[in-house]
Amino acid sequence: MAQLGNPTNTIEILNKYKFVIQKKFGQNFLIDTHVLDKIIQAADITKEDFVLEIGPGIGTLTQYLCENAKEVVAVEIDKMLIPILNDTLSEYDNVTVINSDVLKLDLTALVQERNNGQPIKVVANLPYYITTPIIMDLLERHLPLKSITVMVQKEVADRMQTGPGSKDYGALSLAVQYYAKPYIAANVPANCFMPRPNVGSAVINLALHTEAPFEVKDEKLLFRLIRASFNQRRKTLVNGLNNSAELPYTKEEIAQVLSTLGISENIRGEALTLEQFITLSNQLYVLR
Ligand code: SAM
């Protein structure tokens, strides 16, 4: 089977199987070999790596992963793509295709069974309609992960990488940076996909922290604080946290903790760094 990463071979395989592209599954297939090389490079895939690919599509990126990794497990939701994948990946004996919604799969069990619970790499050209839920799910499950290297909407990549002071800074930035170090490896124009998406894209690499950068007394509380701060972005932090039904603290308690941290009580949540959110949450934690 020929390599798929170009328009001719992609159209040929789609025609051979009379495949109808499903917008509802976010299907935009890669047709540019430079971008495929860039993804493999950004993920630093070697013959030591066990890779989980989310949404293999017709197998374009999967072929590259099979060439470069030790083993690949590819999870695809669309059952109409399974016969195509059996065809396009027939040359490789280091790949398993699973027909499932990745959000419904027990990934912890999969990593345990297939890789003895050792850390894996996730690589994907993600379906844009569920990018954030997939990334948050991978991070919050505390799966054994080395890194996540994914193609996402450019705007989402920016949100993951940015810090305080930017309009893109928010709950996603803090959640991602709590677990990993983000790095945008490439910007990718719409003409590298078939069909073309309406937005620009980027490849982002999230290298999981091997040790927690800060000690957190209660992760749930930390993320409640972050959510409450950005739910009411225009409010001061004191009001935002006090208005949240998820949090028990009075305005006075919040203001007092802020003052012991040397932070103005008129500050908005969007001005706080991850480290400041963590200190705030550790101090509020001991009050209850
Ligand atoms: N990897 C291919 C490529 O780069 O050409 C296809 C990428 S396409 C942007 C996203 C793929 O994810 C599609 O094949 C789509 O069917 C699949 N997909 C969408 N939602 C999914 C889900 N919840 N679980 C697993 N796969 C999903």
Side-chain angles (χ1 to χ4, degrees):
M1 168 51 61
Q3 294 285 307
L4 291 163
N6 62 62
T8 316
N9 293 354
T10 299
I11 291 171
E12 199 182 302
I13 199 89
L14 295 177
N15 288 343
K16 179 173 167 189
Y17 287 89
K18 300 191 171 46
F19 181 74
V20 183
I21 288 178
Q22 298 292 324
K23 260 198 163 162
K24 67 170 183 200
F25 289 141
Q27 291 174 349
N28 300 94
F29 302 129
L30 271 168
I31 51 167
D32 185 310
T33 51
H34 299 293
V35 176
L36 289 154
D37 285 334
K38 195 83 205 178
I39 296 174
I40 299 295
Q41 238 176 51
D44 190 23
I45 301 296
T46 71
K47 280 290 168 192
E48 312 269 285
D49 291 320
F50 183 104
V51 176
L52 168 68
E53 187 192 5
I54 298 166
I58 58 173
T60 313
L61 174 59
T62 327
Q63 290 181 335
Y64 274 69
L65 291 170
C66 291
E67 293 284 345
N68 290 281
K70 179 178 71 176
E71 201 181 333
V72 181
V73 170
V75 181
E76 174 55 61
I77 197 170
D78 186 351
K79 68 173 189 304
M80 302 306 282
L81 286 166
I82 305 303
I84 303 185
L85 287 164
N86 287 338
D87 184 354
T88 59
L89 302 175
S90 61
E91 264 175 39
Y92 302 102
D93 59 6
N94 59 343
V95 61
T96 310
V97 174
I98 300 176
N99 182 204
S100 168
D101 176 345
V102 71
L103 293 174
K104 296 195 176 137
L105 203 62
D106 185 347
L107 293 175
T108 310
L110 187 139
V111 178
Q112 189 57 45
E113 278 161 28
R114 305 296 305 260
N115 203 39
N116 290 323
Q118 293 305 303
I120 65 161
K121 290 184 178 173
V122 174
V123 180
N125 169 15
L126 284 178
Y128 292 174
Y129 75 107
I130 44 165
T131 300
T132 305
I134 290 178
I135 290 178
M136 289 315 301
D137 187 62
L138 291 169
L139 295 172
E140 285 171 354
R141 283 195 213 201
H142 290 275
L143 279 177
L145 291 177
K146 283 187 195 156
S147 62
I148 302 175
T149 307
V150 280
M151 178 84 71
V152 297
Q153 241 175 282
K154 170 84 178 91
E155 185 204 315
V156 177
D158 289 340
R159 272 168 39 208
M160 289 193 244
Q161 204 191 25
T162 198
S166 150
K167 67 169 177 28
D168 293 326
Y169 186 56
L172 180 66
S173 329
L174 285 154
V176 163
Q177 291 164 33
Y178 175 68
Y179 293 106
K181 189 172 177 334
Y183 161 69
I184 296 181
N187 289 322
V188 180
N191 61 9
C192 296
F193 303 85
M194 182 183 290
R196 288 171 179 226
N198 302 325
V199 291
S201 302
V203 177
I204 189 161
N205 173 263
L206 310 177
L208 275 282
H209 299 311
T210 43
E211 278 173 43
F214 312 104
E215 194 210 331
V216 176
K217 293 199 189 324
D218 182 347
E219 264 185 25
K220 277 206 180 109
L221 173 60
L222 171 66
F223 285 106
R224 278 191 195 130
L225 290 175
I226 291 173
R227 264 199 307 275
S229 312
F230 288 96
N231 272 347
Q232 299 186 308
R233 226 185 149 98
R234 309 314 303 164
K235 292 226 155 75
T236 62
L237 183 63
V238 173
N239 284 329
L241 299 187
N242 180 246
N243 289 345
S244 165
E246 285 190 325
L247 296 167
Y249 306 104
T250 63
K251 279 191 186 182
E252 292 67 32
E253 284 174 323
I254 302 163
Q256 206 207 326
V257 170
L258 285 179
S259 101
T260 64
L261 300 177
I263 300 173
S264 154
E265 64 176 80
N266 297 321
I267 202 163
R268 289 188 184 146
E270 64 192 9
L272 257 59
T273 63
L274 174 60
E275 192 175 358
Q276 285 174 318
F277 268 112
I278 291 174
T279 319
L280 176 66
S281 103
N282 285 347
Q283 299 244 355
L284 286 171
Y285 176 77
V286 294
L287 292 183
R288 284 284 186 284

